[in-house]
Amino acid sequence: MLHNRAKYHLGQVVRHRKHPFRGVVFDVDPEFSNTEEWYESIPEDSRPSKKQPFYHLLAENDQSFYVAYVSEQNLVADYSGEPVDHPDIPDLFGAFEDGSYALHFQMN
């Protein structure tokens, strides 16, 4: 039985601890749930533990928008109060208020 509790919630704006991007959480895996190939592509000295929550983000940096998959240890809450401009946000979320986006619908 998994006992990992996610630190961040759906709709919350977060930023990467080491890389210059931020994003909105749109899904959470209780522990690593991507391919071994993806995991092995991370330099060994930077590879996070698989036994922690991993977050799917609608992410942005200065050059582009994309979907990111990030371990909890590499995220921090974003307290800038600034919205994320990812073009897919309106498909999943409503209004931006107090550092989070409201969900359009109830998740399971």
Side-chain angles (χ1 to χ4, degrees):
M1 179 181 241
L2 294 175
H3 294 287
N4 292 344
R5 295 191 71 91
K7 182 176 182 179
Y8 305 108
H9 60 83
L10 300 182
Q12 186 173 0
V13 177
V14 294
R15 66 177 53 252
H16 197 280
R17 192 178 292 277
K18 300 175 184 175
H19 301 291
F21 72 86
R22 54 199 291 270
V24 180
V25 176
F26 73 90
D27 196 9
V28 182
D29 296 332
E31 54 182 48
F32 181 79
S33 184
N34 205 332
T35 65
E36 275 305 307
E37 181 180 55
W38 184 92
Y39 188 74
E40 295 293 327
S41 73
I42 301 169
E44 192 170 348
D45 62 337
S46 299
R47 234 176 258 158
S49 167
K50 292 181 179 182
K51 302 276 187 207
Q52 64 179 309
F54 274 73
Y55 297 81
H56 299 261
L57 307 176
L58 295 177
E60 68 178 8
N61 62 25
D62 289 341
Q63 290 110 23
S64 65
F65 303 106
Y66 51 96
V67 173
Y69 190 64
V70 185
S71 64
E72 187 169 272
Q73 76 185 52
N74 284 319
L75 291 175
V76 294
D78 181 302
Y79 296 111
S80 70
E82 296 294 319
V84 174
D85 294 325
H86 194 288
D88 293 338
I89 288 175
D91 294 338
L92 297 174
F93 300 104
F96 178 72
E97 189 175 309
D98 297 326
S100 290
Y101 286 88
L103 292 173
H104 271 316
F105 50 87
Q106 183 64 36
M107 305 292 269
N108 289 334

